[in-house]
Amino acid sequence: MAGESYVHHLSFTSRRSPVVSLHGAVASSQPLATEIGVRVLKAGGNAADAAVAVAAALNVTEPCSTGIGGDAFCLFYDADKKTVKGINGSGRAASRLSLDLLKTTGIVKDGDVHLPYNSAHTVTVPGAASAWCDAVEKFGSGKLSLRDILQPAIDLARDGFPVHPVAAHHWKEGIASLINPANKHGSDMLLDGKAPKAGDVMKMPHLAATFEELCTKGKDGFYKGRVAEAIVEVVQEHGGMLSVEDLEKHYSTFDDPICTCYRGINVWEMPPNGQGITALLALNILEGFDIKGMEHNSAEYLHTVIEALSLSFADTLWYNADPSKIQVPVSGLLSKDYAAKRRSLIRQDRALESCQRGFPFSGSDTVYFSVVDEQGNACSFINSNYAGFGTGLVPRGCGFTLQNRGANFSLDSDRPNVLAPMKRPYHTIIPGMATRGDTGELFACFGVMGGFMQPQGHVQVLLNMIDFGMDPQQALDKPRFCIHTKGKETGLVFLEEGISSDVATKLERLGHEVEFPVCGHERSVFGRGQIITRKIAPCKNGLDTAVYWTGSDPRADGMAIGL
């Protein structure tokens, strides 16, 4: 019957097995995107090629979370060299934008913490397109062209695709900015003026045309010409300062990842302006506790991890900023001695009343996906608009929305992360990679998306695997907590349905402010992750064989496929 649709409540009533495979795997939050990644691997592409194909496909199937109008980061593990390299694909603020200008014009008033999320001033230069091209050029197989990699997403956008249930929910949640009459082209992201329902078939011809420009002209197809002019036009129509010159000057940076060793596993994150350092600092603090000796998701365990992350956020919410503009004390923050000092503040009988930053000087809506290829290379990739559709602003004839990453700038002139021209903001999206400390072999290609939840998700799934021996699917399935942060401090702790009410009560008695139980679509606060791990297994011929174990988060529409 036309118009008939199912009702989806996102209740967890079944289980998933991990996907176990020999020749690689792909995991993402959308089945159609996962299949496209597999298709690229089968066509001879490697993990980086497949990751970019998945990024483009997710822009089509889940534009309420990600897109070419946002930013991207990636970590690439080279199996031959046993090295991890990274690309920072975050954009910079407009060259004419300054805090003084915003105060003079009355846009920013005393006491404001950040810019409104729908402000055109929050549109930083979208970095995803450059990151896609750079990932293929720097880490790709060389066997496939950019067109080979993007063509499946182009076909999907042009021919149409059925919208999946969780995506449909978030599409509807973010519709306000798209139906705003001032947003002239917002209807490009809608179906007959409405958010598509689960199962509705959506076509995105303008997005297909944007991808075609990228295939034909490379980066210039996005940062110069028609697309760049359309971006600037819509931003300036809404009062923003972004210019064509700002887009033309954009470039990714190839940053050496930062790392800490946790119980023999080297955990790799992108350096600031990304917040991956939060996860590493928390792991350093937790290393001094007998985590394995605690009952998983007990009050003792959750209290300890919550406190470690709260202390980590106290530091990084202050110090994390664009290192090209301000000194960020990375080595001090990651010092084991510094972690010991922070660890000493944690008490088991009560929660810290407030978490203050330390002094380590020594002398946030996204998609995450993971790919490992047959050669053992791994690509941990994350792409985001930031808050849902970002600003919701749609450039004319382009078929994507523009991010609102600039909302993460501080409006406090004393903070390192204060808004400034051509500066990158504190960035929430963080891909993760882990290798074995003794051999350098891949341990896990992983990530958990979701704003300030991301380092919290990284820590929780890593503890699940390293300390409690869970496989990737089990690690993702377990109920999570999320410390709510509003950019200056942490406070309320959300606990997911599945954690016992007795534990919630005990945490409250320790002094934590708890919101429990969080269930249904509200589970989105806990993020959505994908994990691929590598294990060596015995084989009948006597030769040990690498086996990939893959998990995909049940909080999303996604799936994992092994090869």
Side-chain angles (χ1 to χ4, degrees), residues 407-431:
N408 266 351
F409 279 121
S410 173
L411 301 181
D412 180 347
S413 58
D414 292 331
R415 286 182 169 257
N417 184 44
V418 64
L419 184 150
M422 298 299 289
K423 186 176 182 180
R424 284 167 157 170
Y426 178 118
H427 224 291
T428 59
I429 63 175
I430 51 172

Side-chain angles (χ1 to χ4, degrees), residues 79-391:
D80 287 337
K81 298 177 181 176
K82 294 183 172 55
T83 56
V84 182
K85 300 293 183 182
I87 294 176
N88 180 333
S90 63
R92 300 162 182 84
S95 57
R96 295 183 293 152
L97 183 64
S98 70
L99 185 56
D100 286 343
L101 182 147
L102 294 175
K103 287 182 174 179
T104 301
T105 55
I107 294 169
V108 169
K109 299 177 177 59
D110 290 342
D112 287 347
V113 176
H114 59 73
L115 286 164
Y117 284 92
N118 62 353
S119 170
H121 291 300
T122 67
V123 181
T124 51
V125 174
S130 179
W132 295 1
C133 294
D134 290 332
V136 171
E137 181 178 344
K138 183 82 171 178
F139 304 135
S141 65
K143 298 177 181 178
L144 301 181
S145 67
L146 189 60
R147 175 167 292 281
D148 294 330
I149 291 165
L150 296 185
Q151 191 63 50
I154 292 171
D155 294 340
L156 202 63
R158 188 169 286 148
D159 300 339
F161 63 95
V163 177
H164 283 69
V166 177
H169 170 82
H170 291 293
W171 211 311
K172 184 178 179 180
E173 289 285 298
I175 198 173
S177 61
L178 301 178
I179 62 175
N180 184 340
N183 191 3
K184 297 178 184 177
H185 307 289
S187 60
D188 289 354
M189 313 299 294
L190 301 172
L191 183 60
D192 298 327
K194 298 178 181 179
K197 297 184 179 67
D200 286 353
V201 177
M202 187 76 181
K203 294 184 179 182
M204 305 181 74
H206 292 313
L207 181 60
T210 297
F211 288 171
E212 287 278 5
E213 295 262 2
L214 202 62
C215 290
T216 303
K217 302 174 184 176
K219 294 178 191 178
D220 285 353
F222 189 89
Y223 296 100
K224 296 179 181 179
R226 178 187 73 85
V227 175
E229 290 166 4
I231 291 171
V232 169
E233 176 184 72
V234 72
V235 169
Q236 293 189 0
E237 279 179 355
H238 289 80
M241 308 292 291
L242 208 63
S243 69
V244 170
E245 291 74 24
D246 292 333
L247 270 78
E248 289 177 348
K249 291 177 181 177
H250 174 75
Y251 59 93
S252 306
T253 52
F254 298 92
D255 299 340
D256 289 330
I258 53 178
C259 177
T260 197
C261 185
Y262 179 79
R263 308 200 198 286
I265 299 296
N266 288 332
V267 180
W268 303 85
E269 299 276 1
M270 289 295 293
N273 56 317
Q275 66 171 344
I277 193 170
T278 310
L280 301 186
L281 178 51
L283 289 171
N284 281 345
I285 293 171
L286 290 167
E287 192 174 36
F289 292 97
D290 181 15
I291 298 297
K292 190 174 182 178
M294 300 178 186
E295 181 185 349
H296 186 264
N297 276 357
S298 64
E300 177 190 22
Y301 168 77
L302 292 176
H303 168 73
T304 303
V305 183
I306 288 167
E307 296 291 82
L309 278 160
S310 295
L311 288 167
S312 303
F313 270 123
D315 283 333
T316 54
L317 287 173
W318 178 271
Y319 292 112
N320 189 31
D322 184 344
S324 72
K325 305 291 186 181
I326 196 88
Q327 181 186 2
V328 182
V330 173
S331 60
L333 286 167
L334 293 183
S335 160
K336 297 288 188 177
D337 289 340
Y338 181 69
K341 292 176 183 177
R342 301 298 272 166
R343 186 185 308 122
S344 69
L345 299 175
I346 298 176
R347 295 183 53 167
Q348 292 301 324
D349 61 340
R350 70 180 186 191
L352 290 163
E353 292 183 6
S354 65
C355 292
Q356 304 298 321
R357 77 179 191 273
F359 296 92
F361 294 91
S362 52
S364 178
D365 290 89
T366 307
V367 290
Y368 170 79
F369 43 100
S370 184
V371 181
V372 176
D373 61 35
E374 187 169 12
Q375 288 71 44
N377 304 306
C379 194
S380 183
F381 207 107
I382 194 159
N383 209 121
S384 174
N385 297 327
Y386 192 33
F389 283 104
T391 57

Side-chain angles (χ1 to χ4, degrees), residues 46 210 522:
N46 72 354
T210 297
E522 298 305 313

Side-chain angles (χ1 to χ4, degrees), residues 501-545:
S501 58
D502 179 58
V503 166
T505 300
K506 287 179 179 177
L507 289 173
E508 287 178 330
R509 288 174 181 164
L510 287 169
H512 296 284
E513 185 182 358
V514 171
E515 180 74 25
F516 173 83
V518 179
C519 50
H521 282 290
E522 298 305 313
R523 294 178 189 267
S524 62
V525 72
F526 303 109
R528 301 172 297 176
Q530 316 294 331
I531 304 173
I532 304 174
T533 63
R534 179 184 184 273
K535 296 185 73 174
I536 298 298
C539 187
K540 189 174 182 180
N541 62 10
L543 297 175
D544 290 345
T545 303

